[in-house]
Amino acid sequence: MTSTMSSPWRATILTLYPEMFPGPLGLSLSGDALARGAWTIEARNIRDHGIGRHRAVDDTPAGGGAGMVLRCDVLAAAIDAAAAPNDPRPRLLMSPRGRPLTQGRVRALAEGPGLVVVCGRFEGVDERVIEGRGLEEVSIGDYVLSGGELAALVTIDACVRLLPGVMGKAASGVEESFEGPLLEYPHYTRPRDWEGRSIPEVLLGGNHAAIARWRSAAAGRLTRERRPDLLGQDPAK
């Protein structure tokens, strides 16, 4: 299902800090697209479904240990209020133990109707709500953040920029790192000479075949130097 202006791509975020959204998503390309109605964003407070007078959302981990854990009943109530059972949008839980987010996955998410994103906090989320509400755990890198909000912003930004009409030129989304098997080639612009460094002559000669060969070779060199793990991988994954 491809997003259209009559059916905008919808992002719903479940968080303890709804004031963090749209944040940077309200600026630049994503902000312009948001203002045009190409996509929508809604941040919902998990604490609205908290327990008792103090709206508690967490409790101590079963079996002991440090930290606190988001309660399954609270989070399930928040998810159910945000997305009906027949809502076709994937339900993501931003988590350092999730599958790494790839450009191929981003592209697939951008081609769908949108996302429901759960931002974890504390020590983690009760495993039962992950299973019971079909949450897909997604990681943006091998490090730990204070919560899932920044990871949600990254994920949504990566998707929104691929929506139809968001980027100025369709080729901008194709000739980039992770859209193919190699990292992106180096870029140059005016001035021609700067601090003793010059634009490679091949880029100034107007020979498009030679330019394409130079860019391919440069991309291959950068990939071998910086990300040799990418060589031989399927870019669609």
Side-chain angles (χ1 to χ4, degrees), residues 62-73:
M68 303 291 279
V69 176
L70 272 171
R71 293 175 57 125
C72 55
D73 50 355

Side-chain angles (χ1 to χ4, degrees), residues 43-75:
R44 301 175 67 109
N45 198 333
I46 296 171
R47 198 171 295 279
D48 290 343
H49 303 274
I51 305 298
R53 183 165 60 93
H54 297 291
R55 297 288 187 183
V57 298
D58 58 337
D59 212 327
T60 55
M68 303 291 279
V69 176
L70 272 171
R71 293 175 57 125
C72 55
D73 50 355
V74 171
L75 190 50

Side-chain angles (χ1 to χ4, degrees), residues 11-23 25 41-50 55-57 70 74-82 92-94 115-122 125 135 146-153 156:
T12 299
I13 302 99
L14 302 178
T15 171
L16 292 173
Y17 299 97
E19 61 272 20
M20 293 180 68
F21 299 89
L25 296 173
I41 185 169
E42 176 189 25
R44 301 175 67 109
N45 198 333
I46 296 171
R47 198 171 295 279
D48 290 343
H49 303 274
R55 297 288 187 183
V57 298
L70 272 171
V74 171
L75 190 50
I79 294 170
D80 293 345
L92 308 186
L93 170 63
M94 309 316 300
L115 298 174
V116 176
V117 185
V118 177
C119 301
R121 280 274 163 175
F122 313 121
V125 172
L135 302 183
S146 299
E149 287 78 13
L150 291 177
L153 289 167
I156 295 169

